Amino acid sequence: MRVLGRILKWGAAGLGSLVGIILLAVAIAIQWPSLWFNSKTARWGARQAKKAGFELSWQSDRIHARNLSLLTKRFDIELDQVCFKMEGKTAAVSPVDACFGHLEASATISLKSFPPRVEVLGPVVATRGQATVEPAQFKESPQEKKDSEPFEIPDWIKTARLAPVRVEVDQWKLKIPGQVLTGNLHLRNEDVASGSLWRLKLEESLKKGAAAHQGDLALALRSESGQWKGPWKVSSDARVKFRDGKRARASLQLQQAGEVEVDYQLEGSFKDRDKLAEVDARGRARPDRVQGELRASASNWVKNLPRLSVAGCAYDLRQVTGEGTQERADGRYQLRCPVKVKVPVPPKEGVPDFQLPAEIGATLFADLRSEFFPSAKSPVSGAVSIEVDPVLSPLFRGQGKVAAQVGGVPEEFPDHWQLDTELALSVDVPEFKRFVDLLHSTPWAIPAPLNSLRGKVGFGLRGEADLSGGRVPLFFETDLRSSVQRVSAEARGEMRFTRPAPEKVLASLNLEVLLREIKIVLPRLGLEAPPRLFPDSRVLTRRPEPKKAGENFEFDYRVHIATPPGSPAQLVSNRAKSPVPLHLDLTLAPTSETNSAQASGISGSVRVGEFKLDLFRRDAQVERFQVSLERKRDESKIDGSIRFNYTDYVVRVLLFGQMESPQVKFLSEPPLPEEQIIATLLFGRPIDELDPDQQESVGSMQAALVDQALSLASLYLFASGPIQRVSYDPDAEVFSASFRLGGGTSVSVGADTEQVRSFGVRKRLSRRWSLVTDVERESQRGQERQGQTASAFLEWSYRY
Amino acid sequence: MTKPRRAGRNKNRFAELKLGVIALLAYPLIAGCANLQKREEKTAYREVCPQVYIEKVEEDGDVSFNDVERRLLCGDKDDKARIGEEWKVIPLAQAKFHMQAFLQDRAYYRPKFEERDGKLYVRLGEPTRVAAIRVEGAPPALDIGRRREILGARMTPAVLDEVEQWVIGRMHALGYACPQVSSQAQASTGEIRLQVLPGEILNVTSVVEEPIPGVEAGSFRRYDAFLLGKPFQGDFVRLTERRLVSESVVQSAHFEARCTPQGVQLRQETMPGLPRILTFRFGASTEEIPRVEVRWRNTRLGSSASLLDVTLLGSPRQQGLQGVFTWYGFPSDRRLYIRPSVELRHENEQYFESLSANARVAPGRTWDLPSIGGYVDLGPSLDLVRTLRGEGQPDALFLGLQGEIRAQTHYFEFYRNSPRAGFNSTLRFNLNSRKVLSDISAQRLEWYGETLWNYRQYDPPLWILGGRWGLGTTMSGESLASAEGLPATFRQYLGGIQDLRGFGRQELPGPTGALSAAFASVEIRAGILRFLPSGLQPLAFTDFGALGREEWSLDSPLYWSPGAGFRWETPFGVFRTTAAHGFQSGGAADRAQDFTHWQFYLSYGEEF
């Protein structure tokens, strides 16, 4: 016990001595802080920091610690040529190398509490600074992100009063891959009446590369309490001027409105020559909700659209409690955004003035759900729609709406996305004439004879689509008329989209066009050959472009054009006594043939109804006439029958075979030889009563018909004129005809071969008179030695 | 101090020199640009209508438009027209579209359009000319290079038609009855590509005739230039058509070729017309002005379509009446005929005047091989000749055997009115003997012909080389000088457009004539040359000839006549004009025998 008591006694004495020594040491340290806060301990500390990767050195120092009271100490550090260097040991820490010519820092620390608190921080003066920062990585690793905690100002400094701070970095460098960003930085803190105000002024420039620029940033951070705890008010203004002339400016105002609420106001602009984008967003944000109003505009970014703007665009991004998972809080994003599109007035040169309103409006609605706060990796779902305000102009009226149910991960778009869209659009042209007048002097002028029509035209579409494809029903209606013409038609069909592969889109149009009432006037034709209305497809005016491999968009179409059974389309021509009734049943589809000259995109049939016409200077009745068009042009067939009533007999001209070289058969009741029928048709008289020239014409016509040398159009043209003479060169398969005009003149149509290869040349002067050159055969000239004798005669002949 | 100043002066001079050189070099460029600008500014336009103006083209003549084209460019301004109101106003964009199509017909594929003050101004640019023609799929025998006048021509759709038709024609000539030809042309390069699907060379298997009332089927097969069972030849099918028409047996004829797996079936379509033809002719033959003919023919006599031809003719040199009946009465051989004929003739030539009567019966036959044809006939002939003036006995009776064999290539016949290829040759004889009811024994033999060679077989020809020859002799014991001697029709003469063009018609060797004669001619003729107007074709020739007073012999002098001329092919026929100088080499005994002089001929319808 004694021993124990002695031990306890010595132990208590030792402990008391130790406590006494410690208390004494603490008292000494408190009373004489310069004992532990001096140059030597500072250098010792710097050496220890170097071991931790933070290298700190200076040339000379003046370090003082003073007693302001027993428990209030002031520490002053003054260093010359101070440098610090930090190695980037982890990806999150960037290497820093900085030096200041002079550094002063002071702090007043109160030892009245534990841990001790900083009562006054500063003044801090760092001048003639130079710094180089080389960010090791820009991306955080997921592990580091998970481990990192939000930085919080420790309590022992949070209540410190800020004395003036002045940091001047004359030159800093930020090394990024391939580039060096340089600039200067001035940071000040001042005591102002309403607290403390931090001002940061930063200038930076990038000399090389596409992003070469010069910029400056002014940042003001005000703490109304004059301490680190706020309330805070941040004001920043940044400007960047790029070397290629682009300019950007941004201004951000943040005002702490509560413990976790911030009022914000962001204004920004970007200018690239005449392109200008401006944005103004203001509202309130808190950790679980961001709401505000956006005003933005973009000028001259889209061709022919001078300005696109949104104003009063309300958005509300908020966390929806109780609906998310434990890991991810659910967010709801709502948007109601009026959009205005400014229409160019006056229009660009060459572009007609469609008399559109100065602005076309639309409203964008969105109600989306996603992770809060959203990221490109978080799934999004909800509804988005655009409603176009009704467009009213003197020329047309139009309105439209597109609504979509969306769902997917933004960064994966369009893969795995749902985009179920409904769209509706309608455009009406109430007065077609105005449209005609408007377009008259433009490259899109409505051509004659349609430009004489009056009435209205309507177009619309309504349908659904998604990313795997879509179906958009559309319609088109016209109700146009002029004094003679009429174009009343309606088209209904649908446009389909499919995506057989992610990068490939197939579009197809299927349209049914019903020509309810069509009456069109053809140009007035003369007896001469009809002019070429379309370029000859055999002549290529530009080199054929090979189809690009891997084209991602393919368009297919099928347009069916038909006339109602009892209402054929009518063609009015000066070469027909009455309108030609056409029953159409045609299908237009793209040609798959490589040689487009041999293939046509049109198939179906054109049937001419019964009508009277003037053929061969007689009344004729078309009993039937049908053209069956095939995709391969040379397989297109005709089948027709034209009846001529004579006193004693009926003549029928049958047309059949290929459309481009039809076969013609002449039949009569009672039966007559074919040449007799042709003679009657061509010249109105039996062949016996024709002069030799006319008889030859009958033969030529017969030969040309046998050779199928006459196209349908040529046949009609020849048949509808007063034929005087017909000639046909079988070698060249060239048919020509002379028509008798008034006043004893005639006009020749077709390539007029003069049969220079024939035996003898005969030039008809009148019905029986000809000019003839002849080479007589030797055998008929008896004994004349040189039997081949040429002669030229004025010949009168009579065949009987 | 001097040196720097000089250096400075030199420097200034160098600078001036440099400026001068730069100015000198720049001047053409600047001037060129200025000229270009001036040219741009100076583009002269012609009014098509108040809203369309087109560039004036001085070199090839202005582009003109027909009425319908004008309506489509300018609108239909005819207020009296029943319809057309809807076409009154043509927007400039539409006018531009039409203009492009119309200009394509004129080979202008790169027009430039400018709209000013509501008017359309059209600058034509250069017309596209055919720079190359490539043929794919054709047999090697088809050489597109033979087709002239296409390269360099304006590349219009009509030219494409022309080239396509030419290829089809040549394919027909090569035996491909049903070829398919399509063309495509590149406006920027002037290249034409022809795609030929030749099909197969097929034989002609049959001819289906359209019946002709009163004519037995097959009667017209005597005119066939093609052969059944042999390969189809398009040119010869056309030749057959021409033979039918030129003989007037039908008014028009046409063969339609139908290709079947077995071969080509020809369908003969004819427009027979009426068989009897009465003709009055008034005109001029080569060396006779005027000449009048009255002719009556029945071209389809009987079921075999025999020919009866009666001609009455009159001219200052000849008057006559001829009746010829060609009877095709052998159904087993349609080419076989018997041709009886009678003729009364009065001739009044430079050296003689005669009155003759001839009666003849000549069985004969025509023949055609794959590329050559002809005829042969042989029969008795009775001639009565009364010489009214000139050498020979006043009255002579001849009963003899007269025959003729002729061969000519089909192409000679095919191009008869525009000669360019082939040959023909005729052998003719007339044998008489005192022993067989003739007053005089005289055997007259003649062989003549001509051949033509188309240089490189161009179409149309570039150069045509021709040769012409004739040999004739009369074998008789009679003397030329004898008053009782041979009548003029048995004597040989030369001179004239038919043989020696440097001499007058039958001028050589003088009034007595000769018993033997020979001549040869060579002629070279240019084809259609672009630089000559209206298709004038220049030609040059030299004719040689000699005569002999004895049978089978030729005496001096040698007559020859170089000359030149032009051939002009018109829609009315062929005009030829030649100027030649007749020369004689050796043996000119006296002035009376000197025939050298210039000779000018203008002929119409005459060919070499």
Side-chain angles (χ1 to χ4, degrees), chain A residues 448 521 524 532 536 538 540 687 695 699 707 731 780 783 792 794-796 798-800, chain B residues 71 94 104-105 185 187 251-252 254 271 274 276 278 280-282 284 296 322 383 604:
Chain A
V521 175
R524 197 158 53 90
R532 181 181 298 283
D536 191 319
R538 294 175 300 176
L540 306 176
I687 197 163
Q695 289 174 347
D707 272 4
D731 291 336
Q780 297 174 358
Q783 295 182 355
L794 188 65
E795 180 185 283
W796 178 94
Y798 173 57
R799 197 158 185 151
Y800 63 99
Chain B
R71 274 176 221 138
Q94 188 179 8
Q104 197 190 55
D105 260 350
Q251 206 147 20
S252 76
H254 185 64
M271 222 271 299
L274 293 167
R276 290 175 290 276
L278 178 62
F280 292 92
R281 286 175 157 187
F282 177 83
W296 178 88
Q322 184 188 46
D383 287 283
Y604 175 52

Short mmCIF file of all heavy atoms in Angstrom, two decimals, chain A residues 448 521 524 532 536 538 540 687 695 699 707 731 780 783 792 794-796 798-800, chain B residues 71 94 104-105 185 187 251-252 254 271 274 276 278 280-282 284 296 322 383 604:
data_model
loop_
_atom_site.label_atom_id
_atom_site.label_comp_id
_atom_site.label_asym_id
_atom_site.label_seq_id
_atom_site.Cartn_x
_atom_site.Cartn_y
_atom_site.Cartn_z
N ALA A 448 -48.75 29.45 -118.44
CA ALA A 448 -49.98 29.41 -119.24
C ALA A 448 -50.23 27.95 -119.59
O ALA A 448 -49.30 27.18 -119.77
CB ALA A 448 -49.80 30.25 -120.49
N VAL A 521 -57.10 24.40 -122.02
CA VAL A 521 -56.96 24.84 -123.41
C VAL A 521 -55.52 24.63 -123.86
O VAL A 521 -54.58 25.03 -123.18
CB VAL A 521 -57.32 26.33 -123.54
CG1 VAL A 521 -57.06 26.83 -124.96
CG2 VAL A 521 -58.78 26.55 -123.17
N ARG A 524 -52.69 27.21 -129.47
CA ARG A 524 -53.22 27.17 -130.84
C ARG A 524 -52.14 26.67 -131.78
O ARG A 524 -51.04 27.24 -131.85
CB ARG A 524 -53.68 28.58 -131.24
CG ARG A 524 -54.60 28.62 -132.41
CD ARG A 524 -55.41 29.90 -132.39
NE ARG A 524 -54.57 31.07 -132.28
CZ ARG A 524 -54.08 31.73 -133.33
NH1 ARG A 524 -54.33 31.31 -134.55
NH2 ARG A 524 -53.35 32.81 -133.16
N ARG A 532 -41.10 21.63 -130.29
CA ARG A 532 -40.58 20.80 -129.21
C ARG A 532 -40.89 21.49 -127.89
O ARG A 532 -40.45 22.61 -127.65
CB ARG A 532 -39.08 20.64 -129.37
CG ARG A 532 -38.44 19.77 -128.30
CD ARG A 532 -36.95 19.68 -128.53
NE ARG A 532 -36.65 19.07 -129.81
CZ ARG A 532 -36.71 17.76 -130.05
NH1 ARG A 532 -37.05 16.94 -129.08
NH2 ARG A 532 -36.42 17.27 -131.23
N ASP A 536 -35.14 17.26 -125.67
CA ASP A 536 -34.96 15.87 -126.10
C ASP A 536 -34.17 15.12 -125.02
O ASP A 536 -33.07 15.52 -124.66
CB ASP A 536 -34.19 15.85 -127.43
CG ASP A 536 -34.22 14.47 -128.07
OD1 ASP A 536 -34.08 13.49 -127.33
OD2 ASP A 536 -34.38 14.40 -129.30
N ARG A 538 -32.62 12.54 -125.13
CA ARG A 538 -31.39 11.89 -125.57
C ARG A 538 -30.17 12.78 -125.38
O ARG A 538 -29.05 12.31 -125.38
CB ARG A 538 -31.50 11.50 -127.05
CG ARG A 538 -32.54 10.44 -127.33
CD ARG A 538 -32.68 10.20 -128.82
NE ARG A 538 -33.08 11.42 -129.54
CZ ARG A 538 -33.21 11.50 -130.84
NH1 ARG A 538 -32.96 10.45 -131.59
NH2 ARG A 538 -33.58 12.63 -131.42
N LEU A 540 -27.97 15.03 -123.16
CA LEU A 540 -27.70 15.32 -121.76
C LEU A 540 -27.00 16.66 -121.69
O LEU A 540 -25.96 16.87 -122.32
CB LEU A 540 -26.82 14.24 -121.14
CG LEU A 540 -27.33 12.79 -121.29
CD1 LEU A 540 -26.33 11.81 -120.73
CD2 LEU A 540 -28.66 12.64 -120.58
N ILE A 687 -59.66 6.60 -155.93
CA ILE A 687 -58.29 6.68 -156.41
C ILE A 687 -58.21 6.87 -157.92
O ILE A 687 -57.30 7.50 -158.44
CB ILE A 687 -57.53 5.41 -155.96
CG1 ILE A 687 -56.02 5.66 -156.08
CG2 ILE A 687 -57.95 4.17 -156.75
CD1 ILE A 687 -55.20 4.69 -155.31
N GLN A 695 -52.12 10.10 -156.37
CA GLN A 695 -52.04 8.65 -156.24
C GLN A 695 -50.72 8.23 -155.58
O GLN A 695 -50.66 7.34 -154.75
CB GLN A 695 -52.18 7.99 -157.62
CG GLN A 695 -53.59 8.11 -158.16
CD GLN A 695 -53.72 7.61 -159.58
OE1 GLN A 695 -52.72 7.39 -160.26
NE2 GLN A 695 -54.95 7.45 -160.05
N GLY A 699 -49.91 6.17 -152.07
CA GLY A 699 -48.91 5.12 -151.89
C GLY A 699 -47.93 5.45 -150.79
O GLY A 699 -47.54 4.59 -149.99
N ASP A 707 -44.61 1.08 -142.50
CA ASP A 707 -43.35 1.18 -141.75
C ASP A 707 -43.55 1.74 -140.35
O ASP A 707 -42.58 1.88 -139.61
CB ASP A 707 -42.37 2.09 -142.51
CG ASP A 707 -41.57 1.29 -143.50
OD1 ASP A 707 -41.84 0.09 -143.63
OD2 ASP A 707 -40.66 1.87 -144.13
N ASP A 731 -35.99 4.94 -146.92
CA ASP A 731 -34.61 4.78 -146.43
C ASP A 731 -34.43 5.51 -145.12
O ASP A 731 -33.88 4.98 -144.17
CB ASP A 731 -33.62 5.34 -147.45
CG ASP A 731 -33.59 4.47 -148.69
OD1 ASP A 731 -33.93 3.28 -148.55
OD2 ASP A 731 -33.24 4.97 -149.76
N GLN A 780 -34.69 -0.02 -174.47
CA GLN A 780 -35.87 0.54 -175.12
C GLN A 780 -35.49 1.48 -176.25
O GLN A 780 -36.34 2.08 -176.85
CB GLN A 780 -36.72 1.29 -174.10
CG GLN A 780 -37.24 0.36 -173.02
CD GLN A 780 -37.96 1.12 -171.96
OE1 GLN A 780 -38.03 2.33 -171.99
NE2 GLN A 780 -38.49 0.39 -170.99
N GLN A 783 -31.21 0.73 -181.43
CA GLN A 783 -29.84 0.60 -181.87
C GLN A 783 -28.95 1.75 -181.43
O GLN A 783 -27.80 1.81 -181.83
CB GLN A 783 -29.82 0.53 -183.40
CG GLN A 783 -30.52 -0.74 -183.88
CD GLN A 783 -30.46 -0.85 -185.37
OE1 GLN A 783 -29.98 0.04 -186.05
NE2 GLN A 783 -30.95 -1.95 -185.92
N ALA A 792 -34.79 15.86 -169.94
CA ALA A 792 -35.62 16.63 -169.01
C ALA A 792 -36.87 17.05 -169.77
O ALA A 792 -36.79 17.50 -170.90
CB ALA A 792 -34.87 17.85 -168.51
N LEU A 794 -41.03 18.59 -169.66
CA LEU A 794 -42.25 19.08 -169.05
C LEU A 794 -43.31 18.06 -169.45
O LEU A 794 -43.54 17.83 -170.63
CB LEU A 794 -42.58 20.46 -169.61
CG LEU A 794 -43.71 21.21 -168.95
CD1 LEU A 794 -43.35 21.53 -167.51
CD2 LEU A 794 -44.00 22.50 -169.71
N GLU A 795 -43.87 17.38 -168.43
CA GLU A 795 -44.69 16.22 -168.75
C GLU A 795 -46.14 16.43 -168.35
O GLU A 795 -46.43 16.97 -167.28
CB GLU A 795 -44.13 15.00 -168.01
CG GLU A 795 -44.91 13.73 -168.27
CD GLU A 795 -44.39 12.58 -167.43
OE1 GLU A 795 -43.33 12.03 -167.78
OE2 GLU A 795 -45.03 12.25 -166.41
N TRP A 796 -47.01 15.99 -169.25
CA TRP A 796 -48.43 15.92 -168.92
C TRP A 796 -48.79 14.44 -168.93
O TRP A 796 -48.47 13.72 -169.86
CB TRP A 796 -49.24 16.66 -169.99
CG TRP A 796 -50.73 16.60 -169.77
CD1 TRP A 796 -51.48 17.52 -169.13
CD2 TRP A 796 -51.64 15.57 -170.20
NE1 TRP A 796 -52.79 17.16 -169.12
CE2 TRP A 796 -52.92 15.94 -169.77
CE3 TRP A 796 -51.50 14.38 -170.89
CZ2 TRP A 796 -54.05 15.18 -170.01
CZ3 TRP A 796 -52.62 13.60 -171.12
CH2 TRP A 796 -53.89 14.01 -170.69
N TYR A 798 -51.61 11.22 -167.82
CA TYR A 798 -52.97 10.86 -167.43
C TYR A 798 -53.00 9.35 -167.28
O TYR A 798 -52.66 8.62 -168.21
CB TYR A 798 -53.95 11.35 -168.51
CG TYR A 798 -55.36 10.89 -168.30
CD1 TYR A 798 -56.03 11.20 -167.12
CD2 TYR A 798 -56.04 10.16 -169.28
CE1 TYR A 798 -57.33 10.78 -166.93
CE2 TYR A 798 -57.34 9.74 -169.10
CZ TYR A 798 -57.99 10.05 -167.91
OH TYR A 798 -59.26 9.62 -167.71
N ARG A 799 -53.37 8.95 -166.11
CA ARG A 799 -53.43 7.51 -165.86
C ARG A 799 -54.89 7.09 -165.81
O ARG A 799 -55.70 7.73 -165.17
CB ARG A 799 -52.73 7.21 -164.54
CG ARG A 799 -52.36 5.77 -164.35
CD ARG A 799 -51.24 5.60 -163.33
NE ARG A 799 -50.84 4.20 -163.27
CZ ARG A 799 -49.64 3.78 -162.97
NH1 ARG A 799 -48.68 4.66 -162.71
NH2 ARG A 799 -49.35 2.50 -162.93
N TYR A 800 -55.18 5.99 -166.50
CA TYR A 800 -56.58 5.58 -166.53
C TYR A 800 -56.68 4.07 -166.56
O TYR A 800 -55.67 3.36 -166.72
CB TYR A 800 -57.28 6.23 -167.72
CG TYR A 800 -56.74 5.82 -169.07
CD1 TYR A 800 -57.39 4.84 -169.83
CD2 TYR A 800 -55.56 6.39 -169.58
CE1 TYR A 800 -56.90 4.46 -171.05
CE2 TYR A 800 -55.06 5.99 -170.79
CZ TYR A 800 -55.72 5.03 -171.53
OH TYR A 800 -55.23 4.63 -172.74
N ARG B 71 -45.92 31.90 -130.50
CA ARG B 71 -47.04 32.01 -129.56
C ARG B 71 -46.63 31.50 -128.17
O ARG B 71 -47.07 32.02 -127.15
CB ARG B 71 -48.21 31.16 -130.06
CG ARG B 71 -49.10 31.91 -131.03
CD ARG B 71 -50.18 30.99 -131.55
NE ARG B 71 -50.37 31.22 -132.96
CZ ARG B 71 -50.54 30.30 -133.88
NH1 ARG B 71 -50.55 29.02 -133.54
NH2 ARG B 71 -50.69 30.61 -135.14
N GLN B 94 -41.76 30.93 -118.15
CA GLN B 94 -42.26 29.92 -119.08
C GLN B 94 -41.65 30.14 -120.47
O GLN B 94 -41.27 29.18 -121.15
CB GLN B 94 -43.78 29.97 -119.15
CG GLN B 94 -44.40 28.83 -119.95
CD GLN B 94 -45.93 28.89 -119.98
OE1 GLN B 94 -46.52 29.88 -119.54
NE2 GLN B 94 -46.55 27.87 -120.49
N GLN B 104 -32.71 24.11 -128.31
CA GLN B 104 -32.09 22.79 -128.41
C GLN B 104 -32.25 22.26 -129.84
O GLN B 104 -31.36 21.61 -130.36
CB GLN B 104 -32.76 21.83 -127.43
CG GLN B 104 -31.93 20.60 -127.20
CD GLN B 104 -32.67 19.54 -126.43
OE1 GLN B 104 -33.75 19.12 -126.83
NE2 GLN B 104 -32.11 19.11 -125.33
N ASP B 105 -33.38 22.58 -130.46
CA ASP B 105 -33.59 22.16 -131.84
C ASP B 105 -32.60 22.83 -132.78
O ASP B 105 -32.48 22.42 -133.94
CB ASP B 105 -35.02 22.53 -132.28
CG ASP B 105 -35.94 21.33 -132.20
OD1 ASP B 105 -35.43 20.22 -131.98
OD2 ASP B 105 -37.15 21.51 -132.35
N ALA B 185 -26.58 11.82 -126.36
CA ALA B 185 -25.57 12.81 -126.71
C ALA B 185 -25.26 13.67 -125.50
O ALA B 185 -26.13 13.91 -124.65
CB ALA B 185 -26.06 13.69 -127.87
N ALA B 187 -24.23 17.26 -124.39
CA ALA B 187 -24.20 18.62 -124.93
C ALA B 187 -22.89 19.32 -124.64
O ALA B 187 -22.42 20.14 -125.43
CB ALA B 187 -25.36 19.44 -124.36
N GLN B 251 -47.97 2.14 -158.82
CA GLN B 251 -47.75 3.55 -158.56
C GLN B 251 -46.83 3.76 -157.34
O GLN B 251 -46.08 4.71 -157.27
CB GLN B 251 -49.09 4.23 -158.30
CG GLN B 251 -49.03 5.68 -158.62
CD GLN B 251 -50.35 6.17 -159.14
OE1 GLN B 251 -51.39 5.54 -158.92
NE2 GLN B 251 -50.34 7.27 -159.82
N SER B 252 -46.98 2.88 -156.38
CA SER B 252 -46.04 2.92 -155.28
C SER B 252 -45.89 1.51 -154.75
O SER B 252 -46.79 0.69 -154.88
CB SER B 252 -46.51 3.87 -154.18
OG SER B 252 -47.54 3.29 -153.44
N HIS B 254 -43.92 -0.82 -151.50
CA HIS B 254 -43.15 -0.79 -150.25
C HIS B 254 -43.11 -2.18 -149.66
O HIS B 254 -44.09 -2.91 -149.70
CB HIS B 254 -43.82 0.18 -149.26
CG HIS B 254 -43.03 0.36 -148.02
ND1 HIS B 254 -41.79 0.93 -148.02
CD2 HIS B 254 -43.28 0.02 -146.74
CE1 HIS B 254 -41.32 0.96 -146.79
NE2 HIS B 254 -42.20 0.39 -146.00
N MET B 271 -49.46 0.12 -154.23
CA MET B 271 -50.61 0.90 -154.62
C MET B 271 -50.58 0.89 -156.14
O MET B 271 -49.83 1.62 -156.76
CB MET B 271 -50.46 2.32 -154.08
CG MET B 271 -51.72 2.90 -153.51
SD MET B 271 -52.65 3.71 -154.76
CE MET B 271 -51.55 4.96 -155.29
N LEU B 274 -53.86 2.86 -161.86
CA LEU B 274 -54.44 2.34 -163.10
C LEU B 274 -53.32 1.99 -164.06
O LEU B 274 -52.26 2.61 -164.05
CB LEU B 274 -55.39 3.37 -163.69
CG LEU B 274 -56.65 3.58 -162.82
CD1 LEU B 274 -57.40 4.81 -163.26
CD2 LEU B 274 -57.55 2.36 -162.87
N ARG B 276 -53.00 2.05 -167.42
CA ARG B 276 -52.72 2.73 -168.68
C ARG B 276 -52.31 4.18 -168.42
O ARG B 276 -52.96 4.89 -167.65
CB ARG B 276 -53.95 2.68 -169.59
CG ARG B 276 -54.23 1.29 -170.12
CD ARG B 276 -55.51 1.25 -170.91
NE ARG B 276 -56.69 1.42 -170.06
CZ ARG B 276 -57.27 0.44 -169.39
NH1 ARG B 276 -56.80 -0.79 -169.47
NH2 ARG B 276 -58.33 0.66 -168.65
N LEU B 278 -51.06 7.71 -170.33
CA LEU B 278 -50.83 8.54 -171.52
C LEU B 278 -50.02 9.74 -171.08
O LEU B 278 -50.38 10.44 -170.13
CB LEU B 278 -52.17 8.98 -172.11
CG LEU B 278 -52.08 9.89 -173.34
CD1 LEU B 278 -51.37 9.18 -174.50
CD2 LEU B 278 -53.47 10.36 -173.76
N PHE B 280 -47.67 13.16 -172.35
CA PHE B 280 -47.10 14.10 -173.32
C PHE B 280 -45.93 14.77 -172.67
O PHE B 280 -46.03 15.23 -171.52
CB PHE B 280 -48.13 15.17 -173.72
CG PHE B 280 -49.27 14.64 -174.51
CD1 PHE B 280 -50.43 14.22 -173.89
CD2 PHE B 280 -49.19 14.55 -175.91
CE1 PHE B 280 -51.49 13.72 -174.61
CE2 PHE B 280 -50.26 14.06 -176.63
CZ PHE B 280 -51.42 13.63 -176.00
N ARG B 281 -44.84 14.79 -173.39
CA ARG B 281 -43.65 15.40 -172.81
C ARG B 281 -43.08 16.42 -173.76
O ARG B 281 -43.01 16.20 -174.97
CB ARG B 281 -42.57 14.35 -172.54
CG ARG B 281 -42.88 13.48 -171.34
CD ARG B 281 -41.84 12.40 -171.24
NE ARG B 281 -41.75 11.87 -169.91
CZ ARG B 281 -40.83 11.02 -169.51
NH1 ARG B 281 -39.90 10.63 -170.35
NH2 ARG B 281 -40.81 10.58 -168.28
N PHE B 282 -42.65 17.50 -173.17
CA PHE B 282 -42.01 18.55 -173.96
C PHE B 282 -40.78 18.98 -173.19
O PHE B 282 -40.87 19.34 -172.03
CB PHE B 282 -42.97 19.74 -174.14
CG PHE B 282 -42.37 20.89 -174.88
CD1 PHE B 282 -42.35 20.90 -176.28
CD2 PHE B 282 -41.81 21.96 -174.18
CE1 PHE B 282 -41.79 21.98 -176.95
CE2 PHE B 282 -41.26 23.03 -174.87
CZ PHE B 282 -41.24 23.05 -176.25
N ALA B 284 -36.15 18.76 -173.26
CA ALA B 284 -34.85 18.74 -173.90
C ALA B 284 -34.10 17.52 -173.44
O ALA B 284 -34.12 17.19 -172.26
CB ALA B 284 -34.06 19.99 -173.54
N TRP B 296 -47.69 6.20 -174.77
CA TRP B 296 -48.82 5.50 -174.18
C TRP B 296 -48.32 4.15 -173.68
O TRP B 296 -47.60 3.44 -174.36
CB TRP B 296 -49.92 5.29 -175.24
CG TRP B 296 -51.10 4.52 -174.69
CD1 TRP B 296 -52.18 5.04 -174.07
CD2 TRP B 296 -51.28 3.10 -174.72
NE1 TRP B 296 -53.04 4.07 -173.69
CE2 TRP B 296 -52.52 2.84 -174.07
CE3 TRP B 296 -50.55 2.03 -175.23
CZ2 TRP B 296 -53.03 1.56 -173.92
CZ3 TRP B 296 -51.06 0.75 -175.06
CH2 TRP B 296 -52.29 0.51 -174.41
N GLN B 322 -42.17 4.23 -181.89
CA GLN B 322 -41.67 2.95 -181.41
C GLN B 322 -42.77 2.23 -180.65
O GLN B 322 -43.50 2.86 -179.86
CB GLN B 322 -40.48 3.19 -180.49
CG GLN B 322 -39.82 1.90 -180.03
CD GLN B 322 -38.77 2.17 -178.97
OE1 GLN B 322 -38.99 2.92 -178.03
NE2 GLN B 322 -37.61 1.55 -179.14
N ASP B 383 -34.05 -4.68 -190.28
CA ASP B 383 -33.88 -3.23 -190.38
C ASP B 383 -33.92 -2.82 -191.84
O ASP B 383 -33.30 -3.44 -192.71
CB ASP B 383 -32.51 -2.82 -189.81
CG ASP B 383 -32.48 -2.92 -188.31
OD1 ASP B 383 -33.03 -2.03 -187.64
OD2 ASP B 383 -31.93 -3.92 -187.78
N TYR B 604 -28.60 18.53 -168.24
CA TYR B 604 -29.61 18.45 -167.18
C TYR B 604 -30.08 17.01 -167.11
O TYR B 604 -30.55 16.45 -168.10
CB TYR B 604 -30.77 19.40 -167.52
CG TYR B 604 -31.94 19.32 -166.57
CD1 TYR B 604 -31.75 19.44 -165.20
CD2 TYR B 604 -33.22 19.15 -167.05
CE1 TYR B 604 -32.82 19.37 -164.34
CE2 TYR B 604 -34.31 19.10 -166.19
CZ TYR B 604 -34.10 19.21 -164.84
OH TYR B 604 -35.17 19.14 -163.99
#
